[in-house]
Coordinates of all heavy atoms in Angstrom, one line a residue:
M192 N -36.5 -53.0 -205.0 CA -37.8 -53.4 -204.5 C -38.5 -51.9 -204.0 O -39.6 -52.0 -204.2 CB -37.4 -54.2 -203.3 CG -38.8 -54.6 -202.6 SD -38.5 -56.2 -201.7 CE -39.9 -56.0 -200.8
W193 N -37.7 -51.1 -203.5 CA -38.2 -49.9 -202.9 C -38.8 -49.0 -204.0 O -39.8 -48.4 -204.0 CB -37.3 -49.1 -202.2 CG -37.0 -49.6 -200.8 CD1 -36.0 -50.3 -200.4 CD2 -38.0 -49.6 -199.7 NE1 -36.1 -50.7 -199.2 CE2 -37.3 -50.3 -198.6 CE3 -39.3 -49.2 -199.5 CZ2 -38.0 -50.6 -197.4 CZ3 -39.9 -49.3 -198.3 CH2 -39.2 -49.9 -197.3
K194 N -38.1 -49.1 -205.1 CA -38.4 -48.4 -206.3 C -39.8 -48.8 -206.9 O -40.6 -48.1 -207.3 CB -37.5 -48.4 -207.4 CG -37.6 -47.5 -208.6 CD -36.4 -47.5 -209.6 CE -36.7 -46.5 -210.7 NZ -35.5 -46.5 -211.6
K195 N -40.0 -50.2 -207.0 CA -41.2 -50.7 -207.4 C -42.3 -50.4 -206.5 O -43.5 -50.1 -207.0 CB -41.1 -52.3 -207.6 CG -40.4 -52.8 -208.7 CD -40.5 -54.4 -208.7 CE -39.9 -55.0 -210.0 NZ -40.0 -56.4 -210.0
A196 N -42.1 -50.4 -205.2 CA -43.2 -50.1 -204.2 C -43.6 -48.7 -204.4 O -44.8 -48.3 -204.3 CB -42.7 -50.4 -202.8
M197 N -42.6 -47.8 -204.6 CA -42.8 -46.4 -204.7 C -43.7 -46.0 -206.0 O -44.6 -45.3 -206.0 CB -41.7 -45.5 -204.7 CG -40.9 -45.6 -203.4 SD -42.0 -44.9 -202.0 CE -42.0 -43.2 -202.5
N198 N -43.3 -46.7 -207.1 CA -44.0 -46.6 -208.4 C -45.3 -47.2 -208.2 O -46.4 -46.5 -208.7 CB -43.3 -47.3 -209.5 CG -42.0 -46.6 -210.0 OD1 -41.9 -45.5 -209.8 ND2 -41.1 -47.4 -210.5
F199 N -45.6 -48.3 -207.5 CA -47.0 -48.8 -207.3 C -47.8 -47.8 -206.5 O -48.9 -47.5 -207.0 CB -46.9 -50.2 -206.7 CG -48.3 -50.6 -206.2 CD1 -49.1 -51.0 -207.1 CD2 -48.6 -50.5 -204.9 CE1 -50.4 -51.5 -206.8 CE2 -49.9 -50.9 -204.5 CZ -50.8 -51.5 -205.4
L200 N -47.3 -47.1 -205.4 CA -48.1 -46.3 -204.6 C -48.3 -45.0 -205.4 O -49.4 -44.4 -205.3 CB -47.3 -45.9 -203.4 CG -47.2 -47.0 -202.3 CD1 -46.3 -46.6 -201.2 CD2 -48.7 -47.5 -201.9
R201 N -47.5 -44.5 -206.2 CA -47.6 -43.3 -207.1 C -48.7 -43.5 -208.0 O -49.6 -42.7 -208.2 CB -46.3 -42.9 -207.7 CG -46.4 -41.6 -208.6 CD -45.2 -41.3 -209.1 NE -44.3 -42.3 -209.6 CZ -44.3 -42.8 -210.8 NH1 -45.0 -42.1 -211.8 NH2 -43.6 -43.8 -211.3
D202 N -48.5 -44.6 -208.7 CA -49.7 -45.1 -209.7 C -51.0 -45.3 -209.0 O -52.0 -44.8 -209.5 CB -49.3 -46.2 -210.5 CG -48.1 -46.1 -211.4 OD1 -47.8 -44.8 -211.8 OD2 -47.5 -46.9 -211.9
F203 N -51.1 -45.8 -207.9 CA -52.2 -46.2 -207.2 C -53.0 -44.9 -206.8 O -54.1 -44.6 -207.0 CB -52.0 -46.9 -206.0 CG -53.3 -47.3 -205.1 CD1 -54.1 -48.2 -205.6 CD2 -53.3 -46.7 -204.0 CE1 -55.2 -48.5 -204.8 CE2 -54.5 -47.0 -203.1 CZ -55.5 -47.8 -203.7
F204 N -52.2 -43.9 -206.2 CA -52.9 -42.7 -205.7 C -53.1 -41.6 -206.9 O -54.1 -40.9 -206.9 CB -52.0 -42.0 -204.6 CG -52.1 -42.8 -203.3 CD1 -50.8 -43.4 -202.8 CD2 -53.2 -42.8 -202.7 CE1 -51.0 -44.0 -201.7 CE2 -53.3 -43.4 -201.5 CZ -52.2 -44.1 -200.8
S205 N -52.4 -41.8 -208.0 CA -52.7 -40.8 -209.1 C -54.0 -41.3 -209.8 O -54.7 -40.5 -210.2 CB -51.6 -40.8 -210.1 OG -51.2 -42.0 -210.7
T206 N -54.1 -42.7 -209.8 CA -55.4 -43.2 -210.4 C -56.6 -42.9 -209.5 O -57.7 -42.5 -209.9 CB -55.3 -44.7 -210.5 OG1 -54.1 -45.1 -211.3 CG2 -56.5 -45.3 -211.2
L207 N -56.5 -42.8 -208.1 CA -57.6 -42.5 -207.3 C -57.9 -41.0 -207.5 O -59.1 -40.7 -207.4 CB -57.2 -42.8 -205.9 CG -57.2 -44.2 -205.5 CD1 -56.8 -44.3 -203.9 CD2 -58.7 -44.8 -205.7
L208 N -57.0 -40.1 -207.6 CA -57.2 -38.7 -207.8 C -57.6 -38.2 -209.2 O -58.1 -37.2 -209.2 CB -56.0 -38.0 -207.3 CG -55.7 -38.1 -205.7 CD1 -54.3 -37.5 -205.4 CD2 -56.7 -37.8 -204.8
R209 N -57.3 -39.0 -210.1 CA -57.6 -38.6 -211.4 C -59.1 -38.3 -211.7 O -59.5 -37.2 -212.2 CB -57.2 -39.6 -212.5 CG -57.2 -39.1 -214.0 CD -56.6 -40.0 -214.9 NE -55.2 -40.3 -214.5 CZ -54.6 -41.4 -214.5 NH1 -55.4 -42.6 -214.8 NH2 -53.5 -41.7 -214.1
P210 N -60.1 -39.0 -211.3 CA -61.6 -38.6 -211.5 C -61.9 -37.3 -210.7 O -62.8 -36.7 -211.2 CB -62.3 -39.9 -211.0 CG -61.3 -41.0 -211.1 CD -60.0 -40.4 -210.7
I211 N -61.4 -37.1 -209.6 CA -61.8 -36.0 -208.8 C -61.4 -34.7 -209.7 O -62.2 -33.8 -209.7 CB -61.0 -35.9 -207.4 CG1 -61.6 -37.1 -206.6 CG2 -61.2 -34.6 -206.8 CD1 -60.9 -37.4 -205.3
N212 N -60.2 -34.7 -210.3 CA -59.8 -33.5 -211.1 C -60.6 -33.3 -212.2 O -60.8 -32.1 -212.6 CB -58.4 -33.6 -211.4 CG -57.4 -33.7 -210.4 OD1 -57.6 -33.1 -209.3 ND2 -56.2 -34.3 -210.5
R213 N -61.2 -34.3 -212.8 CA -62.0 -34.2 -214.0 C -63.4 -33.7 -213.6 O -64.1 -32.9 -214.5 CB -62.1 -35.5 -214.8 CG -61.0 -35.7 -215.8 CD -61.2 -36.9 -216.6 NE -61.9 -37.9 -216.0 CZ -61.6 -39.3 -216.0 NH1 -60.7 -39.6 -217.0 NH2 -62.0 -40.2 -215.4
T214 N -63.9 -34.2 -212.6 CA -65.3 -34.0 -212.2 C -65.4 -32.7 -211.3 O -66.6 -32.2 -211.2 CB -65.9 -35.1 -211.4 OG1 -65.2 -35.4 -210.4 CG2 -65.9 -36.4 -212.4
H215 N -64.4 -32.2 -210.8 CA -64.6 -31.1 -209.9 C -65.3 -29.8 -210.5 O -66.2 -29.3 -209.9 CB -63.0 -30.7 -209.4 CG -63.2 -29.6 -208.5 ND1 -63.6 -29.6 -207.1 CD2 -62.8 -28.2 -208.6 CE1 -63.6 -28.5 -206.5 NE2 -63.1 -27.5 -207.4
P216 N -65.0 -29.4 -211.7 CA -65.8 -28.2 -212.3 C -67.3 -28.6 -212.5 O -68.1 -27.8 -212.3 CB -65.1 -28.1 -213.8 CG -63.7 -28.8 -213.6 CD -63.9 -29.8 -212.7
M217 N -67.6 -29.9 -212.9 CA -69.0 -30.2 -213.0 C -69.7 -30.2 -211.7 O -70.8 -29.6 -211.5 CB -69.1 -31.7 -213.6 CG -68.7 -31.7 -215.1 SD -68.9 -33.3 -215.9 CE -68.5 -34.5 -214.8
V218 N -69.1 -30.7 -210.7 CA -69.7 -30.6 -209.3 C -69.9 -29.2 -208.8 O -70.9 -28.8 -208.2 CB -68.8 -31.4 -208.3 CG1 -69.2 -31.3 -206.9 CG2 -68.7 -33.0 -208.8
M219 N -68.8 -28.3 -209.1 CA -68.8 -27.0 -208.5 C -70.1 -26.3 -209.4 O -70.8 -25.5 -208.9 CB -67.6 -26.2 -208.9 CG -66.5 -26.7 -207.9 SD -67.0 -26.7 -206.2 CE -67.0 -24.9 -205.9
K220 N -70.2 -26.5 -210.7 CA -71.3 -25.9 -211.5 C -72.7 -26.4 -210.9 O -73.6 -25.6 -210.8 CB -71.2 -26.2 -213.0 CG -72.2 -25.6 -213.8 CD -71.9 -25.8 -215.3 CE -72.9 -25.2 -216.2 NZ -73.5 -24.0 -215.9
E221 N -72.8 -27.7 -210.7 CA -74.0 -28.2 -210.2 C -74.4 -27.6 -208.7 O -75.5 -27.2 -208.4 CB -74.1 -29.7 -210.1 CG -74.2 -30.4 -211.4 CD -75.4 -30.1 -212.2 OE1 -76.5 -29.9 -211.5 OE2 -75.2 -29.7 -213.4
A222 N -73.3 -27.5 -208.0 CA -73.6 -26.9 -206.5 C -74.0 -25.5 -206.6 O -74.9 -24.9 -205.9 CB -72.3 -27.1 -205.8
S223 N -73.4 -24.7 -207.6 CA -73.7 -23.3 -207.8 C -75.1 -23.2 -208.4 O -76.0 -22.3 -207.9 CB -72.9 -22.7 -208.8 OG -73.3 -21.4 -209.1
S224 N -75.6 -24.1 -209.3 CA -77.0 -24.1 -209.7 C -77.9 -24.5 -208.7 O -79.0 -23.8 -208.6 CB -77.1 -25.1 -210.8 OG -78.4 -25.3 -211.4
A225 N -77.7 -25.4 -207.8 CA -78.5 -25.7 -206.8 C -78.7 -24.6 -205.6 O -79.8 -24.3 -205.3 CB -78.0 -26.9 -206.0
N226 N -77.6 -23.9 -205.4 CA -77.6 -22.7 -204.7 C -78.4 -21.6 -205.2 O -79.1 -20.9 -204.5 CB -76.2 -22.2 -204.3 CG -76.1 -21.1 -203.3 OD1 -77.1 -21.1 -202.5 ND2 -75.1 -20.3 -203.4
D227 N -78.3 -21.4 -206.5 CA -79.1 -20.3 -207.2 C -80.5 -20.7 -207.1 O -81.4 -19.8 -206.8 CB -78.8 -20.2 -208.6 CG -77.3 -19.4 -208.7 OD1 -76.9 -18.9 -207.8 OD2 -76.9 -19.5 -209.8
A228 N -80.9 -22.0 -207.3 CA -82.4 -22.3 -207.2 C -82.9 -22.2 -205.8 O -84.0 -21.8 -205.5 CB -82.4 -23.8 -207.6
F229 N -82.1 -22.4 -204.7 CA -82.5 -22.3 -203.4 C -82.7 -20.7 -203.2 O -83.7 -20.4 -202.5 CB -81.4 -22.8 -202.4 CG -81.6 -22.5 -201.1 CD1 -82.7 -23.2 -200.3 CD2 -80.9 -21.5 -200.3 CE1 -83.0 -22.7 -199.1 CE2 -81.1 -21.2 -199.0 CZ -82.2 -21.9 -198.3
M230 N -81.8 -19.9 -203.5 CA -81.9 -18.6 -203.3 C -83.3 -18.0 -204.1 O -83.9 -17.1 -203.6 CB -80.6 -17.8 -203.8 CG -79.5 -18.1 -203.0 SD -79.5 -17.4 -201.3 CE -79.0 -15.7 -201.7
L231 N -83.4 -18.5 -205.3 CA -84.7 -18.1 -206.0 C -85.9 -18.6 -205.3 O -86.8 -17.7 -205.3 CB -84.6 -18.7 -207.4 CG -85.7 -18.4 -208.3 CD1 -85.7 -16.8 -208.6 CD2 -85.6 -19.1 -209.7
L232 N -85.9 -19.6 -204.6 CA -87.0 -20.0 -203.9 C -87.3 -19.2 -202.7 O -88.4 -18.8 -202.4 CB -87.0 -21.5 -203.5 CG -87.2 -22.5 -204.6 CD1 -86.9 -23.9 -204.0 CD2 -88.6 -22.5 -205.0
I233 N -86.2 -18.8 -202.0 CA -86.3 -18.0 -200.7 C -86.5 -16.5 -201.0 O -87.4 -15.9 -200.4 CB -85.0 -18.2 -200.0 CG1 -84.8 -19.8 -199.6 CG2 -85.0 -17.4 -198.7 CD1 -85.9 -20.3 -198.8
F234 N -85.7 -15.9 -202.0 CA -85.8 -14.6 -202.1 C -86.2 -14.2 -203.6 O -85.8 -13.2 -204.2 CB -84.4 -13.8 -202.0 CG -84.0 -14.0 -200.5 CD1 -82.9 -14.9 -200.3 CD2 -84.7 -13.5 -199.5 CE1 -82.5 -15.0 -199.0 CE2 -84.2 -13.6 -198.2 CZ -83.1 -14.3 -198.0
G235 N -87.1 -14.9 -204.1 CA -87.7 -14.7 -205.6 C -88.5 -13.4 -205.6 O -88.7 -12.7 -206.8
D236 N -89.0 -13.0 -204.4 CA -89.8 -11.8 -204.4 C -88.9 -10.6 -204.9 O -89.4 -9.5 -205.3 CB -90.5 -11.5 -203.2 CG -89.7 -11.6 -202.0 OD1 -88.6 -12.3 -202.1 OD2 -90.1 -11.1 -200.9
M237 N -87.6 -10.7 -204.7 CA -86.8 -9.4 -205.1 C -86.7 -9.4 -206.5 O -86.3 -8.3 -207.0 CB -85.3 -9.8 -204.5 CG -85.1 -9.6 -203.0 SD -83.5 -9.8 -202.5 CE -83.8 -9.6 -200.8
L238 N -87.0 -10.4 -207.2 CA -86.9 -10.4 -208.7 C -88.5 -10.3 -209.3 O -88.5 -10.3 -210.4 CB -86.3 -11.6 -209.3 CG -84.9 -11.9 -208.8 CD1 -84.4 -13.3 -209.3 CD2 -84.0 -10.8 -209.4
G239 N -89.3 -10.0 -208.5 CA -90.7 -9.9 -208.9 C -91.5 -11.2 -208.9 O -92.8 -11.2 -209.5
I240 N -91.1 -12.4 -208.5 CA -91.8 -13.5 -208.4 C -92.6 -13.7 -207.0 O -91.8 -13.5 -206.0 CB -90.8 -14.7 -208.5 CG1 -90.1 -14.8 -209.8 CG2 -91.6 -16.1 -208.3 CD1 -88.9 -15.7 -209.9
P241 N -93.9 -13.7 -207.1 CA -94.6 -13.5 -205.7 C -94.4 -14.8 -205.0 O -94.2 -15.9 -205.4 CB -96.1 -13.6 -206.3 CG -96.1 -14.0 -207.6 CD -94.7 -13.8 -208.1
N242 N -94.1 -14.5 -203.6 CA -93.9 -15.6 -202.7 C -94.7 -15.4 -201.4 O -94.5 -14.5 -200.7 CB -92.4 -15.6 -202.3 CG -91.9 -16.8 -201.5 OD1 -92.8 -17.7 -201.0 ND2 -90.7 -16.8 -201.1
P243 N -95.7 -16.3 -201.2 CA -96.6 -16.0 -200.1 C -95.9 -16.2 -198.7 O -96.4 -15.8 -197.7 CB -97.6 -17.0 -200.4 CG -97.1 -18.2 -201.3 CD -96.1 -17.3 -202.1
A244 N -94.8 -16.9 -198.8 CA -94.0 -17.1 -197.5 C -93.0 -16.2 -197.3 O -92.0 -16.5 -196.5 CB -93.7 -18.6 -197.4
S245 N -93.0 -15.0 -198.0 CA -91.8 -14.1 -197.9 C -91.6 -13.6 -196.5 O -90.4 -13.2 -196.1 CB -92.0 -13.1 -198.9 OG -93.1 -12.2 -198.6
Y246 N -92.6 -13.5 -195.8 CA -92.6 -12.9 -194.3 C -91.6 -13.9 -193.5 O -90.7 -13.4 -192.7 CB -94.0 -12.9 -193.7 CG -93.8 -12.4 -192.2 CD1 -93.5 -11.1 -191.8 CD2 -94.0 -13.4 -191.2 CE1 -93.5 -10.8 -190.6 CE2 -93.9 -13.0 -189.9 CZ -93.7 -11.7 -189.6 OH -93.5 -11.3 -188.2
Y247 N -91.8 -15.3 -193.7 CA -91.1 -16.2 -193.0 C -89.6 -16.3 -193.6 O -88.7 -16.7 -192.7 CB -91.7 -17.5 -192.9 CG -93.2 -17.4 -192.3 CD1 -94.3 -17.4 -193.1 CD2 -93.2 -17.2 -191.0 CE1 -95.6 -17.3 -192.5 CE2 -94.5 -17.1 -190.4 CZ -95.6 -17.1 -191.2 OH -96.8 -16.9 -190.6
T248 N -89.5 -16.1 -194.8 CA -88.0 -16.3 -195.4 C -87.2 -15.1 -195.0 O -86.1 -15.3 -195.3 CB -88.2 -16.5 -196.9 OG1 -88.8 -15.3 -197.5 CG2 -88.9 -17.7 -197.4
L249 N -87.8 -13.9 -194.6 CA -87.0 -12.8 -194.1 C -86.0 -13.3 -192.8 O -85.1 -12.5 -192.7 CB -87.8 -11.7 -193.9 CG -88.4 -11.1 -195.2 CD1 -89.2 -9.8 -194.7 CD2 -87.2 -10.4 -196.0
E250 N -86.5 -14.3 -192.1 CA -85.7 -14.7 -191.1 C -84.3 -15.2 -191.5 O -83.3 -15.3 -190.7 CB -86.5 -15.7 -190.3 CG -87.7 -15.2 -189.6 CD -88.5 -16.2 -188.9 OE1 -87.8 -17.4 -188.7 OE2 -89.6 -16.1 -188.4
L251 N -84.2 -15.8 -192.7 CA -83.0 -16.2 -193.3 C -82.0 -15.0 -193.8 O -80.8 -15.4 -194.1 CB -83.2 -17.2 -194.4 CG -83.8 -18.5 -193.9 CD1 -84.3 -19.3 -195.3 CD2 -83.1 -19.2 -193.1
L252 N -82.5 -13.8 -193.9 CA -81.8 -12.8 -194.5 C -80.5 -12.6 -193.9 O -79.5 -12.4 -194.6 CB -82.8 -11.6 -194.5 CG -82.1 -10.3 -195.3 CD1 -81.9 -10.7 -196.7 CD2 -83.2 -9.2 -195.1
P253 N -80.4 -12.5 -192.6 CA -79.2 -12.2 -191.8 C -78.1 -13.3 -192.2 O -76.8 -12.8 -192.3 CB -79.3 -12.2 -190.4 CG -80.7 -11.9 -190.2 CD -81.4 -12.5 -191.4
Y254 N -78.4 -14.4 -192.5 CA -77.5 -15.5 -192.8 C -77.0 -15.5 -194.2 O -76.0 -16.1 -194.6 CB -78.1 -16.9 -192.5 CG -78.6 -17.0 -191.0 CD1 -79.9 -17.1 -190.7 CD2 -77.7 -17.2 -190.0 CE1 -80.3 -17.2 -189.2 CE2 -78.0 -17.2 -188.7 CZ -79.3 -17.2 -188.4 OH -79.8 -17.3 -187.1
L255 N -77.8 -15.1 -195.1 CA -77.6 -15.0 -196.5 C -77.4 -13.7 -197.1 O -77.4 -13.6 -198.3 CB -78.7 -15.8 -197.3 CG -79.1 -17.2 -196.8 CD1 -80.4 -17.6 -197.6 CD2 -77.9 -18.0 -197.2
A256 N -77.3 -12.7 -196.3 CA -77.2 -11.2 -196.9 C -75.9 -11.1 -197.7 O -76.0 -10.4 -198.7 CB -77.0 -10.3 -195.7
D257 N -74.7 -11.8 -197.3 CA -73.5 -11.5 -198.1 C -73.7 -12.1 -199.5 O -73.0 -11.6 -200.5 CB -72.4 -12.4 -197.5 CG -72.1 -11.7 -196.1 OD1 -72.4 -10.5 -195.9 OD2 -71.4 -12.4 -195.3
E258 N -74.6 -13.2 -199.8 CA -74.6 -13.8 -201.1 C -75.7 -13.1 -202.0 O -75.7 -13.4 -203.2 CB -75.0 -15.2 -200.9 CG -74.0 -16.1 -200.1 CD -74.3 -17.4 -199.9 OE1 -75.2 -17.9 -200.7 OE2 -74.0 -18.1 -199.0
I259 N -76.4 -12.4 -201.4 CA -77.6 -11.8 -202.2 C -77.3 -11.0 -203.4 O -77.9 -11.1 -204.5 CB -78.7 -11.0 -201.4 CG1 -79.4 -12.0 -200.4 CG2 -79.6 -10.3 -202.0 CD1 -80.2 -11.4 -199.4
E260 N -76.2 -10.1 -203.3 CA -76.0 -9.3 -204.4 C -75.5 -10.0 -205.5 O -75.9 -9.7 -206.7 CB -74.9 -8.1 -203.9 CG -74.6 -7.1 -204.9 CD -73.7 -6.0 -204.6 OE1 -73.3 -6.0 -203.2 OE2 -73.1 -5.3 -205.3
G261 N -74.5 -10.8 -205.3 CA -73.9 -11.7 -206.4 C -74.9 -12.6 -207.1 O -75.1 -12.8 -208.3
W262 N -75.8 -13.1 -206.2 CA -76.9 -13.9 -206.7 C -77.8 -13.3 -207.5 O -78.3 -13.6 -208.7 CB -77.8 -14.6 -205.6 CG -79.0 -15.3 -206.0 CD1 -79.2 -16.3 -206.7 CD2 -80.3 -14.6 -205.8 NE1 -80.5 -16.5 -206.8 CE2 -81.2 -15.5 -206.3 CE3 -80.8 -13.5 -205.2 CZ2 -82.6 -15.3 -206.4 CZ3 -82.1 -13.2 -205.2 CH2 -83.0 -14.2 -205.8
Q263 N -78.3 -12.0 -207.2 CA -79.2 -11.2 -207.9 C -78.6 -10.8 -209.3 O -79.3 -10.9 -210.2 CB -79.5 -9.9 -207.0 CG -80.8 -9.2 -207.6 CD -81.1 -8.1 -206.6 OE1 -80.4 -7.7 -205.8 NE2 -82.4 -7.7 -206.8
Q264 N -77.3 -10.5 -209.4 CA -76.6 -10.2 -210.6 C -76.6 -11.4 -211.5 O -76.8 -11.3 -212.6 CB -75.4 -9.6 -210.4 CG -75.4 -8.2 -209.8 CD -74.2 -7.5 -209.8 OE1 -73.1 -8.0 -210.3 NE2 -74.0 -6.2 -209.3
R265 N -76.4 -12.6 -210.9 CA -76.3 -13.7 -211.8 C -77.7 -14.1 -212.3 O -77.7 -14.5 -213.5 CB -75.9 -15.0 -210.9 CG -74.3 -15.0 -210.8 CD -73.9 -16.4 -210.1 NE -74.8 -16.9 -209.0 CZ -74.4 -16.6 -207.7 NH1 -73.4 -15.8 -207.5 NH2 -75.1 -17.1 -206.8
M266 N -78.7 -13.9 -211.5 CA -80.1 -14.2 -212.1 C -80.5 -13.2 -213.1 O -81.2 -13.5 -214.0 CB -81.1 -14.1 -210.8 CG -81.1 -15.2 -209.9 SD -81.5 -16.7 -210.6 CE -80.0 -17.6 -210.7
M267 N -80.1 -11.9 -213.0 CA -80.4 -10.9 -214.0 C -79.6 -11.1 -215.5 O -80.3 -10.9 -216.4 CB -80.1 -9.5 -213.5 CG -81.1 -9.1 -212.3 SD -82.6 -9.0 -212.8 CE -83.4 -8.2 -211.4
T268 N -78.5 -11.7 -215.2 CA -77.8 -11.8 -216.5 C -77.8 -13.3 -217.1 O -77.3 -13.6 -218.1 CB -76.2 -11.6 -216.3 OG1 -75.7 -12.5 -215.3 CG2 -76.0 -10.1 -215.8
R269 N -78.6 -14.1 -216.4 CA -78.7 -15.6 -216.7 C -79.6 -15.8 -217.9 O -80.6 -15.0 -218.0 CB -79.2 -16.3 -215.6 CG -79.0 -17.7 -215.6 CD -79.6 -18.4 -214.4 NE -79.5 -19.8 -214.3 CZ -79.8 -20.5 -213.3 NH1 -80.2 -20.1 -212.3 NH2 -79.5 -21.9 -213.4
G270 N -79.1 -16.6 -218.9 CA -80.0 -16.9 -220.0 C -81.1 -17.8 -219.6 O -81.3 -18.0 -218.5
T271 N -81.9 -18.2 -220.6 CA -83.0 -19.1 -220.2 C -82.4 -20.5 -219.9 O -81.3 -20.9 -220.2 CB -83.9 -19.3 -221.4 OG1 -83.2 -20.0 -222.6 CG2 -84.5 -18.0 -221.9
V272 N -83.2 -21.4 -219.4 CA -82.8 -22.8 -219.0 C -82.5 -23.6 -220.3 O -81.5 -24.3 -220.3 CB -83.8 -23.5 -218.2 CG1 -83.5 -24.9 -218.1 CG2 -84.1 -22.7 -216.9
L273 N -83.2 -23.2 -221.4 CA -83.0 -23.9 -222.7 C -81.5 -23.6 -223.2 O -80.8 -24.3 -223.6 CB -84.1 -23.6 -223.7 CG -84.1 -24.2 -225.1 CD1 -84.2 -25.8 -224.8 CD2 -85.2 -23.7 -225.9
E274 N -81.2 -22.3 -223.1 CA -79.8 -22.0 -223.6 C -78.8 -22.6 -222.7 O -77.7 -23.0 -223.3 CB -79.8 -20.3 -223.5 CG -80.5 -19.5 -224.4 CD -80.5 -18.2 -224.1 OE1 -79.8 -17.7 -223.2 OE2 -81.1 -17.4 -224.9
E275 N -79.0 -22.6 -221.5 CA -77.9 -23.3 -220.6 C -77.9 -24.7 -220.9 O -76.8 -25.3 -221.0 CB -78.3 -23.1 -219.2 CG -78.2 -21.7 -218.6 CD -78.5 -21.5 -217.2 OE1 -78.6 -22.6 -216.6 OE2 -78.5 -20.3 -216.8
K276 N -78.9 -25.4 -221.2 CA -78.8 -26.9 -221.5 C -78.2 -27.1 -222.9 O -77.5 -28.1 -223.0 CB -80.2 -27.5 -221.2 CG -80.7 -27.6 -219.8 CD -79.7 -28.2 -218.9 CE -80.3 -28.3 -217.5 NZ -79.3 -28.8 -216.6
A277 N -78.6 -26.3 -223.8 CA -78.0 -26.4 -225.2 C -76.6 -26.2 -225.2 O -75.8 -26.9 -225.8 CB -78.7 -25.4 -226.0
A278 N -76.1 -25.2 -224.3 CA -74.6 -25.0 -224.2 C -73.9 -26.2 -223.6 O -72.7 -26.4 -223.9 CB -74.4 -23.6 -223.3
Q279 N -74.6 -26.9 -222.7 CA -73.9 -28.0 -222.1 C -73.6 -29.2 -223.2 O -72.6 -29.9 -223.0 CB -74.8 -28.7 -221.0 CG -74.8 -27.9 -219.7 CD -75.6 -28.5 -218.7 OE1 -76.4 -29.4 -218.9 NE2 -75.6 -28.1 -217.4
F280 N -74.5 -29.2 -224.2 CA -74.3 -30.3 -225.2 C -73.8 -29.6 -226.5 O -73.8 -30.4 -227.6 CB -75.7 -30.9 -225.4 CG -76.2 -31.7 -224.2 CD1 -77.2 -31.1 -223.5 CD2 -75.5 -32.8 -223.7 CE1 -77.7 -31.8 -222.3 CE2 -75.9 -33.4 -222.4 CZ -77.0 -32.9 -221.8
D281 N -73.3 -28.5 -226.5 CA -72.7 -27.8 -227.7 C -73.7 -27.7 -228.9 O -73.3 -28.0 -230.1 CB -71.3 -28.6 -228.1 CG -70.3 -28.5 -227.0 OD1 -70.3 -27.4 -226.4 OD2 -69.6 -29.4 -226.9
F282 N -74.9 -27.3 -228.7 CA -75.8 -27.2 -229.7 C -75.8 -25.7 -230.3 O -75.4 -24.8 -229.7 CB -77.4 -27.3 -229.2 CG -77.6 -28.8 -229.0 CD1 -78.4 -29.1 -228.0 CD2 -77.2 -29.7 -229.9 CE1 -78.8 -30.5 -227.8 CE2 -77.5 -31.1 -229.6 CZ -78.2 -31.5 -228.6

């Protein structure tokens, strides 16, 4: 009886955790993409994109200073949006 109960609990929890393991990389990629889009909106003037509110966005600089260097390098080496979407669907 204990063996059946333990097998049931093991199967139950492994089934619950299985989708998390499969979707975790996709969620992390989407979160990174959203973070990059936010940083582009806030600090796009560092890449040459004019931003009329750059004076006000400088107030966020102390909070995001650690992330700027990595973000700037990702933006410089990033391909076009079309290339990224094509790579998702193996074109």
Side-chain angles (χ1 to χ4, degrees):
M192 177 156 168
W193 286 106
K194 189 174 183 180
K195 282 185 176 182
M197 292 302 288
N198 285 337
F199 172 76
L200 289 174
R201 181 176 41 95
D202 292 341
F203 178 75
F204 286 113
S205 68
T206 304
L207 285 177
L208 296 176
R209 192 172 302 134
I211 293 172
N212 292 335
R213 278 192 312 223
T214 58
H215 182 72
M217 292 187 312
V218 170
M219 292 303 292
K220 183 171 174 47
E221 288 299 320
S223 175
S224 179
N226 188 27
D227 288 346
F229 172 73
M230 294 287 283
L231 184 62
L232 286 172
I233 300 299
F234 298 114
D236 53 340
M237 290 183 179
L238 297 175
I240 301 170
N242 184 0
S245 62
Y246 176 77
Y247 300 106
T248 59
L249 284 177
E250 293 178 9
L251 297 172
L252 187 58
Y254 302 107
L255 300 171
D257 296 337
E258 298 179 24
I259 288 180
E260 186 177 347
W262 165 76
Q263 196 170 17
Q264 289 191 2
R265 280 193 312 273
M266 289 292 110
M267 293 297 191
T268 60
R269 191 174 186 178
T271 64
V272 174
L273 185 61
E274 289 175 1
E275 290 179 11
K276 294 302 176 186
Q279 284 181 348
F280 298 109
D281 297 327
F282 286 141

